[in-house]
Amino acid sequence: MLKGTSACAGCSSSLSLRYVLKGAGPDTVLVIPASCSSVIQGIYPNTALNIPVYNIAFAAAAACASGMSNAFRAVGKKTNVIVYAGDGGTLDIGIQSMSGAFERGTDFLYICYDNEEYGNTGMQRSGSTPLGARTTTTPAGKTDEKKDIDAIITAHDPPYLATACSAYPQDLFKKVKKALAIRGPAFIHILVPCPSGWRFPPEKTIEIGRLAVKSGMWILYEREYGRLAISSPSKAAMKNPIPLENYLAPQGRFAGISPKALDILKQRITQKIQRLTEEEKGIC
Ligand SMILES: Cc1ncc(C[n+]2csc(CCOP(=O)(O)OP(=O)(O)O)c2C)c(N)n1
Ligand code: SF4
């Protein structure tokens, strides 16, 4: 990824893409559906990426990657095929082709970078927007909860699934390497704080990501061949999470969140910590 992209200042989805490409190396092709990333990649000849990129319609990203991967494997090439899609493109609009590609066992890596909104078109709500967050289409705060895409992908039983966050680059880098070393479909879900949509100052982009993990609002883990391992930054955080308010308060999108929504968010954190802890110990 070259210098000088058209991302907003403090954009952690472009930061994450940089880490992903460092992990993947040069023998890589990217498939990018409509999103902030398709703007960040740039318009030829002013592209910000120096590897091949296939820019594709929302609904077709995983289908396109599937065909590419099969074509590469048919001629004996191990070229990494990576979809880099937003949460709108993954949880909402691209879910059917993604499900098909996971069902068929496509040898590829699907990355959902999650800024919890439709960023490119002006911060509309997506299925991934958390309860209580204000977006341009939920000006009084979202009344539905965040869709659990990790559970949906887990139901496809892929050999590898991980969560990551742009504020923990080494963890992300290692997970990309591991995902690409495994044959078959892999999924990485990266939380990418978005200063423009979440309404916090750009210089706080790393701090906000760390607060997400330290509060338990975002939990880092990986599931390899069905076996769950909680990643070390979250292991420490889950024993003694910081108050959720510390994560929400610096973000304008949560201004005036209702006590009821706050209470539900806290309950979900407690439930998720318990569920993942038990799964790791093999209790459930
Ligand atoms: C079928 C279709 N519907 C709508 C659009 C308009 N559109 C372009 S990018 C975008 C938002 C994508 O959101 P997300 O996938 O979350 O990525 P982000 O922009 O946040 O990076 C939308 C709605 C489109 N290009 N194609
Ligand atoms: S809207 Fe958010 S995700 Fe999109 S380029 Fe700007 S900071 Fe990055």
Side-chain angles (χ1 to χ4, degrees), residues 143-205:
T143 50
D144 311 298
E145 293 192 54
K146 186 177 172 92
K147 192 191 283 186
D148 190 350
I149 190 67
D150 304 329
I152 294 170
I153 301 288
T154 299
H156 293 71
D157 201 17
Y160 188 78
L161 175 146
T163 59
C165 174
S166 50
Y168 295 86
Q170 284 162 334
D171 179 70
L172 170 58
F173 179 84
K174 276 191 234 155
K175 286 171 176 169
V176 169
K177 286 219 160 274
K178 198 182 265 190
L180 290 171
I182 286 173
R183 211 179 151 84
F187 183 78
I188 301 182
H189 188 183
I190 313 175
L191 183 75
V192 295
C194 162
S196 311
W198 298 13
R199 289 183 272 146
F200 63 80
E203 67 274 14
K204 284 194 181 290
T205 201

Side-chain angles (χ1 to χ4, degrees), residues 116-140:
E116 302 186 323
E117 75 209 354
Y118 287 76
N120 184 40
T121 39
M123 327 305 180
Q124 294 86 12
R125 154 231 201 272
S126 80
S128 204
T129 303
L131 180 73
R134 291 171 192 269
T135 65
T136 48
T137 48
T138 56

Side-chain angles (χ1 to χ4, degrees), residues 45-276:
N46 298 314
T47 178
L49 296 166
N50 60 2
I51 53 160
V53 182
Y54 200 108
N55 205 198
I56 188 84
F58 263 125
C64 166
S66 231
M68 276 173 142
S69 170
N70 285 350
F72 280 128
R73 305 302 175 253
V75 293
K77 287 192 175 174
K78 290 185 174 163
T79 303
N80 303 315
V81 178
I82 303 179
V83 174
Y84 197 72
D87 47 291
T90 303
L91 283 82
D92 302 334
I93 313 175
I95 196 164
Q96 45 79 12
S97 67
M98 181 177 65
S99 174
F102 275 81
E103 183 217 330
R104 292 189 299 274
T106 298
D107 186 22
F108 79 144
L109 169 58
Y110 191 108
I111 295 182
C112 171
Y113 68 91
D114 190 355
N115 59 10
E116 302 186 323
E117 75 209 354
Y118 287 76
N120 184 40
T121 39
M123 327 305 180
Q124 294 86 12
R125 154 231 201 272
S126 80
S128 204
T129 303
L131 180 73
R134 291 171 192 269
T135 65
T136 48
T137 48
T138 56
K142 193 185 178 203
T143 50
D144 311 298
E145 293 192 54
K146 186 177 172 92
K147 192 191 283 186
D148 190 350
I149 190 67
D150 304 329
I152 294 170
I153 301 288
T154 299
H156 293 71
D157 201 17
Y160 188 78
L161 175 146
T163 59
C165 174
S166 50
Y168 295 86
Q170 284 162 334
D171 179 70
L172 170 58
F173 179 84
K174 276 191 234 155
K175 286 171 176 169
V176 169
K177 286 219 160 274
K178 198 182 265 190
L180 290 171
I182 286 173
R183 211 179 151 84
F187 183 78
I188 301 182
H189 188 183
I190 313 175
L191 183 75
V192 295
C194 162
S196 311
W198 298 13
R199 289 183 272 146
F200 63 80
E203 67 274 14
K204 284 194 181 290
T205 201
I206 300 300
E207 192 182 323
I208 297 290
R210 297 237 164 115
L211 291 172
V213 170
K214 286 180 182 169
S215 62
M217 186 80 171
W218 191 254
I219 298 178
L220 303 174
Y221 65 89
E222 55 190 344
R223 198 179 276 111
E224 206 176 331
Y225 296 107
R227 210 183 158 82
L228 181 99
I230 294 161
S231 312
S232 44
S234 279
K235 258 200 160 60
M238 282 161 67
K239 282 190 192 125
N240 193 15
I242 61 165
L244 180 60
E245 287 84 346
N246 294 15
Y247 169 61
L248 305 185
Q251 303 177 52
R253 66 178 176 151
F254 288 112
I257 185 170
S258 72
K260 192 175 166 207
L262 185 60
D263 201 43
I264 294 173
L265 289 179
K266 287 182 178 175
Q267 279 177 39
R268 295 290 176 255
I269 291 175
T270 310
Q271 288 164 351
K272 194 163 187 186
I273 289 178
Q274 189 183 348
R275 183 166 52 79
L276 291 176

